[in-house]
């Protein structure tokens, strides 16, 4: 399997949906910092206590700080909320009060303001990570076939089946024609990340923040695991940009 994966990443990878074939590439970004919780915290889908709880994390849980919000629910005088990715892969929003970040009711040095990150996007990032960590990350239980070659199906399931395109490049072209494509290389968690190549069918993956994404590898006929890789600089297809999921 390792040899297959090394060979696949050196080639132009292809992936498809039920109706067509697609391909892959990738890229990074700088982390704002690595910190830990100082008490049990609820990881939520947004920066107030009114958002749904994704999961609770224990005191001492380590996380990477992605970005911050100002003006979230005030917790003991601190209205800063953090978008984080825990070491176990969970992505979501937590109050900054119960953390070791160097901020108090203001942004931590070098940390940017969070872009719009919706509950749908939080769900997509966490679903992609869970699929990567599943007992068999090579196989789609929903579609009943290996993930290799089916990147658009992967992205659409992550985003809640809210759209349907024949290929990743069809998805990208629709996003571009509707003015939804961003060309920087630091997409927010849950964003769709697009690439060209693959005989014109393209590739799409799901951002998990901090310049990382989760997506399929390989082409139809292979059985490679869903994997985490950088947004740029890892695979071979040209980077096209990213878009918020339809509905966000």
């Amino acid at each position: 399997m390792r040899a297959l994966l090394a060979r696949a990443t050196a080639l132009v990878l292809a992936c498809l949906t039920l109706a067509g074939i697609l391909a892959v590439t990738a890229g990074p970004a700088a982390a704002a910092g690595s910190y830990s919780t100082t008490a049990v915290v609820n990881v939520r889908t947004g920066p107030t206590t009114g958002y749904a709880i994704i999961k609770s994390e224990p005191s001492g849980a380590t996380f990477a700080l992605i970005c911050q919000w100002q003006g979230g629910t005030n917790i003991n005088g601190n209205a800063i909320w953090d978008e984080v990715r825990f070491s176990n892969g969970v992505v979501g929003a937590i109050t900054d009060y119960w953390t070791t970040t160097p901020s108090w009711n203001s942004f931590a040095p070098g940390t940017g303001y969070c872009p719009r990150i919706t509950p749908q996007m939080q769900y997509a990032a966490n679903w992609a990570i869970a699929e990567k960590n599943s007992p068999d990350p090579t196989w789609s239980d929903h579609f009943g076939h290996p993930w290799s070659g089916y990147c658009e199906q992967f992205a659409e399931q992550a985003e809640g089946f809210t759209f349907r395109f024949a290929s990743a490049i069809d998805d990208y072209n629709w996003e571009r024609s509707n003015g939804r494509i961003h060309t920087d290389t630091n997409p927010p968690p849950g964003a769709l990340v697009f690439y060209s190549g693959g005989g014109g069918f393209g590739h799409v993956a799901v951002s998990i923040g901090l310049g990382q994404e989760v997506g399929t590898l390989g082409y139809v006929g292979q059985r490679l695991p869903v994997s985490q890789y950088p947004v740029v600089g890892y695979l071979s297809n040209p980077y096209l940009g990213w878009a918020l999921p339809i509905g966000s």
Side-chain angles (χ1 to χ4, degrees), residues 153-219:
Q153 284 187 355
F154 181 84
E156 293 195 10
Q157 186 170 352
E159 304 295 354
F161 302 103
T162 55
F163 51 99
R164 173 60 67 190
F165 297 97
S167 69
I169 206 67
D170 287 342
D171 191 345
Y172 167 76
N173 286 334
W174 184 91
E175 306 283 359
R176 185 181 61 176
S177 67
N178 283 276
R180 294 166 52 86
I181 292 294
H182 305 260
T183 56
D184 64 272
T185 57
N186 193 27
L192 301 172
V193 187
F194 293 99
Y195 305 89
S196 61
F201 295 99
H203 176 71
V204 61
V206 178
S207 171
I208 59 171
L210 296 174
Q212 295 287 306
E213 62 192 7
V214 173
T216 63
L217 290 174
Y219 46 84

Side-chain angles (χ1 to χ4, degrees), residues 1 4 131-141 144-150 154 215-217 222-227:
M1 179 66 76
L4 272 177
E131 194 68 15
K132 174 180 74 76
N133 296 333
S134 68
D136 185 0
T138 71
W139 186 259
S140 168
D141 291 333
H145 56 62
W147 276 121
S148 290
Y150 290 90
F154 181 84
T216 63
L217 290 174
Q222 290 187 303
R223 188 165 175 170
L224 302 180
V226 166
S227 300

Side-chain angles (χ1 to χ4, degrees), residues 32 65-70 81 83 107-115:
L65 178 61
I66 298 173
C67 56
Q68 295 181 304
W69 290 275
Q70 195 163 28
W81 280 63
E83 175 74 4
F107 294 129
T111 305
Y113 185 83
C114 288

